[in-house]
Amino acid sequence: MAVLALSRDLADMREKLGAMVVGYSRAGTPVTADDLGCGGALTVLMKDAIMPTLMQTVERTPVLVHAGPFANIATGNSSVVADEIALKLVGKDGYCVTEAGFGADIGMEKFFNIKCRYSGLKPKAAVIVATVRALKMHGGGPPVSAGKPLQEEYTEENIELLAKGCCNLQKHIENAKKFGVNVVVAVNKFKTDTDNEIETVKKAAMEAGAFDAVLSNHWAEGGAGAEDLAKAVDAACKACDGEAFKFLYDVNKSIKEKVEIISKEIYGADGVDFSDEANKQIEQYEKSGFGNLPICIAKTQYSFSCDPSAKGVPTGHRITVREIRSCAGAGFLYPICGDIMTIPGLPTRPGFYDVDVDLETGDVLGLF
């Protein structure tokens, strides 16, 4: 998935697949897929997968769906190939909107520092999607559990709680601006949000330096509900010099320096603690010639810190690196931080137990 998402074309994918490290020799040198003679066979298996799936929205806007690595444990972005095709289709005056998963501290950071580094593309604007409900949680709102009704803090007006949580949005805006792009905040409206709450979020966004902050009501109104957002993005792109885009770090810095820059600049951490195992792996990677690869940090998506319960903008925290793994073929190293698991957790009772078919109507039951 990582190779597929970051490949520019078939030749680049062939090179990346062949460069995948499958182990180390007794002498401590990396053994690659090409060393085993299987790089070509891997490419044959993937040659059709490199083409994105063309779909459309309900209003018939083309959508390219391609690759889906999670941002908390991987790069969190769709493929470079999909972006290139989209840009070719829309032409020089058109726009390609590409999604970076989860919060801007992980998906956006990896989009800029990893995906843009390999694609060579220079974005002009970042759209940060915010909701009143999420910001209320960051302001100290009660826990939310899937399948259970929301508590009244989230469905009734509560300006005080919302205002406390807006610091989280402001930190994301601050982070995005470090890359030299204009930031537009889209306030994704729920039917229970009040006008006062929407204005509170917009005001906080503008105070943090957003280019614009607009209400987006596309869930209820379709494309018409996002017209103001589209106009704001258009204005933000026209006001930004693409050459202003910049990476957060130089890949030629040491592995530890790059991890520390991300942790301090993006997560607001005081520093980074590396385990003994991580230190050994860093030494091995630098000896193997992987020290100049970009960094893809695996951590919780629920907080700037490694503690998923720490909401808002935590301070006084440190990032703990348990181990560092390599994706030499795709072209990055990924530190494993905190208690994050790299395979998504599944329930002990599988969901398929509840799925069936109504034999009289043919309707599918139990999916939702």
Side-chain angles (χ1 to χ4, degrees), residues 204-221:
M206 298 304 292
E207 288 175 351
F211 179 87
D212 204 351
V214 296
L215 172 66
S216 185
N217 198 23
H218 52 280
W219 180 84
E221 301 174 6

Side-chain angles (χ1 to χ4, degrees), residues 14-38:
R14 170 64 181 85
E15 182 179 345
K16 290 180 183 298
L17 289 170
M20 291 193 303
V21 175
V22 298
Y24 284 81
S25 70
R26 291 179 179 176
T29 58
V31 177
T32 67
D34 271 348
D35 290 334
L36 299 180
C38 61

Side-chain angles (χ1 to χ4, degrees), residues 179-326:
F179 295 92
V181 298
N182 282 334
V183 180
V184 175
V185 173
V187 186
N188 190 13
K189 181 176 172 56
F190 283 74
K191 63 180 181 179
T192 56
D193 297 343
T194 68
D195 291 343
N196 287 336
E197 289 177 327
I198 297 295
E199 288 304 314
T200 297
V201 177
K202 290 168 64 175
K203 181 174 181 291
M206 298 304 292
E207 288 175 351
F211 179 87
D212 204 351
V214 296
L215 172 66
S216 185
N217 198 23
H218 52 280
W219 180 84
E221 301 174 6
E227 185 176 351
D228 288 343
L229 173 59
K231 291 178 179 178
V233 172
D234 178 57
C237 289
K238 290 177 178 176
C240 180
D241 179 0
E243 297 306 312
F245 173 73
K246 57 187 177 182
F247 301 120
L248 189 66
Y249 56 81
D250 181 346
V251 288
N252 293 314
K253 289 184 177 291
S254 71
I255 295 173
K256 283 190 174 182
E257 284 180 302
K258 288 179 285 192
V259 175
E260 288 171 351
I261 289 171
I262 296 171
S263 299
K264 291 179 180 180
E265 293 292 325
I266 303 298
Y267 307 147
D270 287 346
V272 183
D273 299 317
F274 296 88
S275 70
D276 291 341
E277 181 179 7
N279 283 320
K280 291 177 183 178
Q281 291 166 329
I282 288 172
E283 183 179 358
Q284 182 182 49
Y285 296 147
E286 290 182 337
K287 286 182 179 179
S288 300
F290 303 147
N292 63 345
L293 294 178
I295 301 297
C296 180
I297 291 181
K299 65 175 286 294
T300 179
Q301 69 272 25
Y302 297 117
S303 173
F304 284 115
S305 72
C306 288
D307 178 4
S309 66
K311 305 301 182 185
V313 183
T315 58
H317 67 94
R318 299 181 65 84
I319 299 297
T320 301
V321 178
R322 299 187 344 243
E323 59 175 305
I324 299 182
R325 301 175 188 173
S326 69

